[in-house]
Amino acid sequence: QVQLVESGGGLVQAGGSLRLSCAASGSIFSILVMGWYRQAPGKQRESVAVITSGGSPNYVDSVKGRFTISRDNAKNTVYLQMNSLKPEDTAVYYCKAICKVSGGSWSGWGQGTQVTVSS
């Protein structure tokens, strides 16, 4: 019904930058919330940054000042600009969306994209 497709992960040296993208497609009336989560090996998945339909962002403390989340409502796409990357940012990054669809709402995850930061 709804698909989330992520792109933009990769390998980067500490201090470098990456930009993640997540595009939602399908029978979407509107996207209420989009966000980025990450899961490092042996750790629980954590919220990194979330943005509402009105554009209000929230960040986990560890990325404040380094990461910026934004969205293009016309393209149903959310971005995560990651600057000053640190080795501890290494994880699989997942996009999540909560959408209004025909018959109610939908919540789901993308397939994940690997981000590796070398020291």
Side-chain angles (χ1 to χ4, degrees):
Q1 191 173 23
V2 178
Q3 284 189 323
L4 301 176
V5 178
E6 300 143 341
S7 61
L11 173 64
V12 65
Q13 289 188 332
S17 299
L18 284 173
R19 188 190 193 210
L20 306 182
S21 299
C22 173
S25 62
S27 302
I28 301 169
F29 288 166
S30 63
I31 299 179
L32 302 177
V33 180
M34 295 190 83
W36 289 97
Y37 295 71
R38 66 186 179 188
Q39 188 165 18
K43 294 187 177 182
Q44 289 190 331
R45 190 173 298 189
E46 66 169 349
S47 174
V48 176
V50 176
I51 188 166
T52 65
S53 58
S56 298
N58 282 283
Y59 302 94
V60 67
D61 286 346
S62 60
V63 307
K64 286 180 179 178
R66 300 189 298 121
F67 291 11
T68 301
I69 188 171
S70 61
R71 60 188 285 174
D72 184 333
N73 292 329
K75 295 181 179 179
N76 287 339
T77 299
V78 66
Y79 306 96
L80 186 67
Q81 178 66 44
M82 304 185 293
N83 299 329
S84 301
L85 282 160
K86 304 175 181 180
E88 51 264 44
D89 294 318
T90 295
V92 179
Y93 283 70
Y94 297 90
C95 174
K96 182 178 180 180
I98 302 173
C99 309
K100 281 187 177 180
V101 298
S102 175
S105 63
W106 178 92
S107 175
W109 299 88
Q111 80 282 2
T113 185
Q114 177 70 47
V115 171
T116 302
V117 184
S118 63
S119 57

